[in-house]
Amino acid sequence: MTVKYKEIADCLEQEIQNGKFDDTKKLPTEEELMKKFEVSRNTIRKAINQLVNRGYIYQVQGSGMFLREQSVTDYINLGSLRGLTKDLAAKEIVTKILSVQVIEADEEKTKKLRCKVGAKIYYVKRLRIVDKEPFSIEISYFNKDIVPYLNEEIASHSIYSYLINDLKLNISFADKVINCEKIKAETAELLQVHPNDPALIIENTVCLANGTIFELSKSIFHYQKAKILNRINFQ
Amino acid sequence: MTVKYKEIADCLEQEIQNGKFDDTKKLPTEEELMKKFEVSRNTIRKAINQLVNRGYIYQVQGSGMFLREQSVTDYINLGSLRGLTKDLAAKEIVTKILSVQVIEADEEKTKKLRCKVGAKIYYVKRLRIVDKEPFSIEISYFNKDIVPYLNEEIASHSIYSYLINDLKLNISFADKVINCEKIKAETAELLQVHPNDPALIIENTVCLANGTIFELSKSIFHYQKAKILNRINFQ
DNA sequence: AAGTGGTCTAGACCACCGT
DNA sequence: CGGTGGTCTAGACCACTTC
């Protein structure tokens, strides 16, 4: 991960977050950045491209690179694959474990996780509490071939930190399907809403860099508390 | 728009959609594509990058480029900025105009559209009907400086086709905020659901390449019919 | 006309996958 | 080990914005 363009992107991201360009809303030119970081133009452009994709800036040909409006806190960031802990870093997040166990894949899980019937998978159900109020229910299934170990201790913090930093998993891409439904009675009770109230749902299929599916998850959000932000660029 | 890498990306996209690589689920190597299209490696890689961002393929270092699982046509594609007509191309879409008029910006619109108080803006309210059933209500506000003309005729087809192909607007990026709410009585009636049923909401702020905001919109979707798909890549 | 981003080339070397 | 993608460089020319 010691790659020049990512280091530059992370550095600039930090500077943006620290408000370094807030007065002009404008970044240095590509030439200036080339000199500052002592790299070629393509490397600068690749770093810049990261910031564009992360939703921080936009580029105007002939004019420059400018900050995008609005802070990104308080929203679930659909574009990141980092989990709630990172999205809502400014808030206090408590996780209550409802279940962590190894189960055998039934036919549906086999199909969705693309594993064999009877393969071992981790089943994790958690209640996420944000600023002391119930925020979401998260039900996850992990392929045990890829996530060989998991326990309540790990699940009560950030599973994604564990997967990335400890297991060194190379998480690469995901499909996310969003819809809304009437909430079921048992879930409603956990989220402290009424049965048949709305619920915002995100279903996730997450893959490693080699294309292997390693996680399925379903998150059910409190309809008054969860807002999803997605910044997109036309291509 | 006659740019090599985009032409190559569009060509490969077409081939993917035509099922050309369905047997192996694998694309030709970069070298093969360089020869086929007679361009440099960087240009091929830029084209490939488009396909990755559009959610068609993933790359595995040392191994090759592979198709992602088929994206179904029944989803609203959050990553595109093309409007419902393109997202649900396989379906019959009918648009019923509820209102098209020029209004003056109030304080709230002024702030969100970043225009002057009293500036002229188009207000468009439409009911979208998919396969003969009510699907969504779309309320849009366009800055009249940028969209000088609009009428029922245009609004009853694809506004985005008009903006891109006729007005030659350079639509570039957008913020999308998704949440869900209890639906209000008047909207419920239009979508043929019950008051207080769930509603899936997408609020959109859309910008041109130079950063100007030109559209605000709010789409209220039928909770049982709308599903949003988002394909993301970890960066 | 000067400044700044967008496209494209040619070539080098590295990192990872599979045999 | 050969094949294949990932990173990086140096330089050229084009397109758009701004003055």
Side-chain angles (χ1 to χ4, degrees):
Chain A
M1 191 68 97
T2 62
V3 185
K4 283 187 186 177
Y5 78 88
K6 281 187 183 166
E7 272 179 4
I8 295 170
D10 290 344
C11 175
L12 290 171
E13 180 179 35
Q14 204 59 55
E15 291 186 336
I16 290 169
Q17 285 175 344
N18 293 342
K20 180 160 180 179
F21 312 112
D22 281 2
D23 47 346
T24 58
K25 306 272 184 205
K26 198 168 187 238
L27 264 65
T29 65
E30 294 183 348
E31 185 126 12
E32 286 167 331
L33 293 173
M34 284 167 67
K35 281 177 188 158
K36 173 174 175 183
F37 291 103
E38 296 182 299
V39 294
S40 73
R41 184 156 174 235
N42 274 346
T43 301
I44 286 297
R45 284 182 63 78
K46 216 168 170 200
I48 290 297
N49 195 38
Q50 297 274 308
L51 297 177
V52 171
N53 287 334
R54 294 181 200 175
Y56 287 105
I57 63 171
Y58 62 94
Q59 293 169 286
V60 182
Q61 185 172 6
S63 182
M65 304 184 280
F66 304 87
L67 294 188
R68 280 176 78 163
E69 298 292 321
Q70 196 177 348
S71 76
V72 196
T73 51
D74 280 24
Y75 291 94
I76 301 159
N77 186 348
L78 203 60
S80 84
L81 276 170
R82 307 178 304 173
L84 206 61
T85 322
K86 285 276 166 58
D87 282 348
L88 304 178
K91 308 219 165 208
E92 180 209 39
I93 297 181
V94 173
T95 302
K96 185 178 172 194
I97 307 292
L98 303 176
S99 177
V100 175
Q101 51 181 295
V102 177
I103 63 173
E104 294 190 351
D106 59 17
E107 201 166 340
E108 184 220 345
K109 292 290 164 299
T110 297
K111 202 176 159 191
K112 289 190 176 174
L113 265 177
R114 239 166 288 145
C115 59
K116 290 175 187 157
V117 175
K120 307 284 189 199
I121 53 183
Y122 268 106
Y123 165 79
V124 179
K125 185 171 179 180
R126 307 186 291 172
L127 170 64
R128 314 299 296 260
I129 299 161
V130 175
D131 286 348
K132 315 232 185 272
E133 294 183 335
F135 187 82
S136 66
I137 308 287
E138 295 184 12
I139 297 160
S140 303
Y141 301 89
F142 296 94
N143 192 327
K144 194 169 182 301
D145 284 346
I146 297 166
V147 183
Y149 184 70
L150 209 54
N151 62 15
E152 291 206 10
E153 163 68 14
I154 294 164
S156 64
H157 300 100
S158 171
I159 294 183
Y160 267 59
S161 296
Y162 169 68
L163 299 178
I164 294 168
N165 301 327
D166 299 318
L167 294 189
K168 308 287 182 200
L169 291 190
N170 203 341
I171 299 171
S172 179
F173 59 94
D175 279 7
K176 295 185 173 235
V177 175
I178 303 167
N179 72 327
C180 80
E181 296 174 3
K182 290 185 184 175
I183 200 165
K184 286 176 185 151
E186 53 173 330
T187 313
E189 198 179 332
L190 289 166
L191 288 182
Q192 295 174 18
V193 297
H194 299 108
N196 291 326
D197 272 359
L200 185 63
I201 318 268
I202 303 182
E203 287 183 286
N204 236 327
T205 306
V206 191
C207 300
L208 302 180
N210 64 9
T212 320
I213 299 174
F214 83 97
E215 180 192 9
L216 292 177
S217 71
K218 179 173 181 172
S219 297
I220 304 162
F221 293 93
H222 191 297
Y223 75 107
Q224 292 162 318
K225 291 173 188 158
K227 276 178 183 288
I228 301 169
L229 173 65
N230 194 219
R231 295 199 142 163
I232 63 180
N233 298 284
F234 196 54
Q235 304 211 326
Chain B
M1 194 69 93
T2 62
V3 185
K4 284 187 187 177
Y5 78 88
K6 279 187 185 168
E7 273 180 5
I8 295 170
D10 290 344
C11 174
L12 290 171
E13 179 178 37
Q14 204 59 56
E15 291 186 334
I16 290 169
Q17 285 175 344
N18 293 342
K20 181 161 178 178
F21 312 113
D22 281 3
D23 47 346
T24 57
K25 305 273 186 202
K26 195 168 189 235
L27 263 66
T29 64
E30 294 183 349
E31 185 125 11
E32 285 166 332
L33 292 174
M34 284 167 66
K35 282 177 187 157
K36 173 174 176 184
F37 292 103
E38 296 182 301
V39 294
S40 73
R41 184 154 175 236
N42 274 347
T43 302
I44 285 297
R45 285 182 63 77
K46 215 167 171 200
I48 290 297
N49 195 38
Q50 297 273 307
L51 297 176
V52 171
N53 287 334
R54 294 181 199 174
Y56 287 105
I57 63 171
Y58 62 94
Q59 293 169 287
V60 182
Q61 184 172 5
S63 180
M65 303 185 281
F66 304 88
L67 294 188
R68 279 175 80 164
E69 292 293 301
Q70 194 75 39
S71 70
V72 197
T73 52
D74 284 12
Y75 294 94
I76 301 159
N77 186 348
L78 202 61
S80 85
L81 275 171
R82 307 177 305 172
L84 206 60
T85 322
K86 285 274 166 55
D87 281 348
L88 304 178
K91 309 222 165 205
E92 182 209 37
I93 298 180
V94 173
T95 302
K96 187 180 172 193
I97 307 293
L98 304 175
S99 176
V100 174
Q101 52 183 295
V102 176
I103 62 173
E104 294 189 349
D106 59 16
E107 200 167 341
E108 186 220 344
K109 295 288 164 299
T110 297
K111 201 176 159 193
K112 289 190 176 174
L113 266 176
R114 242 164 285 143
C115 59
K116 288 176 188 159
V117 175
K120 306 283 188 200
I121 54 183
Y122 268 107
Y123 165 78
V124 179
K125 185 170 179 180
R126 306 187 292 173
L127 170 64
R128 314 299 297 262
I129 299 161
V130 175
D131 286 349
K132 316 233 186 271
E133 294 183 335
F135 187 81
S136 65
I137 309 287
E138 294 183 14
I139 298 161
S140 303
Y141 301 90
F142 297 94
N143 193 329
K144 194 169 181 303
D145 284 347
I146 297 167
V147 183
Y149 185 69
L150 209 54
N151 62 15
E152 291 205 10
E153 162 69 16
I154 294 164
S156 64
H157 299 101
S158 171
I159 293 183
Y160 268 59
S161 297
Y162 169 68
L163 299 178
I164 295 169
N165 301 326
D166 299 318
L167 294 189
K168 309 286 182 199
L169 291 191
N170 203 340
I171 300 172
S172 179
F173 58 95
D175 280 6
K176 294 183 172 237
V177 175
I178 304 166
N179 72 327
C180 79
E181 296 175 2
K182 291 184 185 176
I183 200 165
K184 285 175 185 150
E186 52 174 331
T187 314
E189 199 178 332
L190 289 166
L191 289 181
Q192 293 173 18
V193 298
H194 300 107
N196 290 326
D197 271 0
L200 185 63
I201 318 267
I202 303 183
E203 287 184 287
N204 237 327
T205 306
V206 192
C207 301
L208 301 179
N210 64 9
T212 320
I213 299 174
F214 82 97
E215 181 193 8
L216 292 176
S217 73
K218 178 172 181 171
S219 298
I220 303 163
F221 293 93
H222 189 297
Y223 75 106
Q224 291 163 317
K225 292 174 188 158
K227 276 178 185 286
I228 301 167
L229 173 66
N230 195 220
R231 295 201 139 163
I232 63 179
N233 298 283
F234 197 53
Q235 306 212 324

